[in-house]
Amino acid sequence: METFPEFKLFREVSDQPSGSAPTPEANLKDLTPDEIIRSAHAELDKSLSVELLAKVLAAPPDFFERLVVQLLVAMGYGGSAAEAGRALGKSGDGGVDGVIDQDALGLDRIYVQAKRYADNKVSAGDIRDFFGSLDRFKASKGLFVTTSGFSPAAKETAELLSVLC
């Protein structure tokens, strides 16, 4: 328990003499055990998220592309077949990084674009390029995944292009 900042704070507050002035964090005494546990859980989630993102950003780009495809298959996209998803991400991949077969015959597919950005946001140009790739493959479904975020122009472009399709 000593690894949790909330627990350490709880112990410090508990060890204070009764007449001492409480610190701003001392309101842990006012929390229920459930609230303390939920707070510690939230802190662990946040810490794990930061650590995972750092590892993904430190890995080669093709690692993220494979990770996204494996995650989608693990989430049930592509049914139960382990080979339902494959990462393409290489030179000449046609602007898509992965494909998930939604049916056993591979007639219904989801095309995946995975961008591993640390600081940049996905741009409107990235969205246009992906829509162009989807059109080239005659695809009806596409998923764009990023480690960063989408610029307002990218969101607007995606909405506009999805309405036109």
Side-chain angles (χ1 to χ4, degrees), residues 1 3 20 25 41 46-47 65-67 80 84 113-114 117-118 123 148 162:
M1 295 292 292
T3 61
S20 60
E25 298 87 7
H41 183 266
K46 182 179 177 184
S47 175
E65 295 162 2
R66 289 189 320 270
L67 177 67
S80 60
Q113 177 65 282
Y117 290 152
S123 69
S148 61
S162 63

Side-chain angles (χ1 to χ4, degrees), residues 60-70 85-100 110-116 130 133 137 143:
D62 65 318
F63 168 80
F64 181 60
E65 295 162 2
R66 289 189 320 270
L67 177 67
V68 168
V69 171
Q70 290 172 358
R86 59 198 168 282
L88 303 175
K90 58 182 180 242
S91 179
D93 63 13
V96 296
D97 296 321
V99 178
I100 307 288
I110 300 173
Y111 289 83
V112 181
Q113 177 65 282
K115 290 287 186 196
R116 186 189 59 121
F130 184 53
S133 296
F137 285 104
L143 177 66

Side-chain angles (χ1 to χ4, degrees), residues 83-84 86 99-111:
E83 59 277 349
R86 59 198 168 282
V99 178
I100 307 288
D101 291 331
Q102 285 295 110
D103 60 55
L105 297 175
L107 300 175
D108 189 19
R109 292 182 166 164
I110 300 173
Y111 289 83

Side-chain angles (χ1 to χ4, degrees), residues 13-164:
V13 170
S14 297
D15 293 341
Q16 285 183 355
S18 58
S20 60
T23 63
E25 298 87 7
N27 57 1
L28 274 179
K29 288 176 101 174
D30 299 332
L31 298 177
T32 66
D34 183 60
E35 291 170 328
I36 293 171
I37 290 170
R38 288 179 189 273
S39 175
H41 183 266
E43 185 65 31
L44 282 173
D45 274 354
K46 182 179 177 184
S47 175
L48 180 60
S49 296
V50 169
E51 186 179 332
L52 283 174
L53 181 59
K55 287 186 184 228
V56 166
L57 291 174
D62 65 318
F63 168 80
F64 181 60
E65 295 162 2
R66 289 189 320 270
L67 177 67
V68 168
V69 171
Q70 290 172 358
L71 177 63
L72 291 170
V73 170
M75 291 171 62
Y77 294 94
S80 60
E83 59 277 349
R86 59 198 168 282
L88 303 175
K90 58 182 180 242
S91 179
D93 63 13
V96 296
D97 296 321
V99 178
I100 307 288
D101 291 331
Q102 285 295 110
D103 60 55
L105 297 175
L107 300 175
D108 189 19
R109 292 182 166 164
I110 300 173
Y111 289 83
V112 181
Q113 177 65 282
K115 290 287 186 196
R116 186 189 59 121
Y117 290 152
D119 299 319
N120 297 339
K121 290 190 175 207
V122 173
S123 69
D126 293 327
I127 298 295
R128 283 191 299 274
D129 290 348
F130 184 53
F131 266 84
S133 296
L134 293 177
D135 186 50
R136 217 177 6 249
F137 285 104
K138 306 289 187 249
S140 60
K141 298 176 186 175
L143 177 66
F144 201 118
V145 181
T146 183
T147 54
S148 61
F150 296 89
S151 71
K155 291 176 186 178
E156 183 180 317
T157 300
E159 288 176 17
L160 175 68
L161 290 173
S162 63
V163 169
L164 296 176

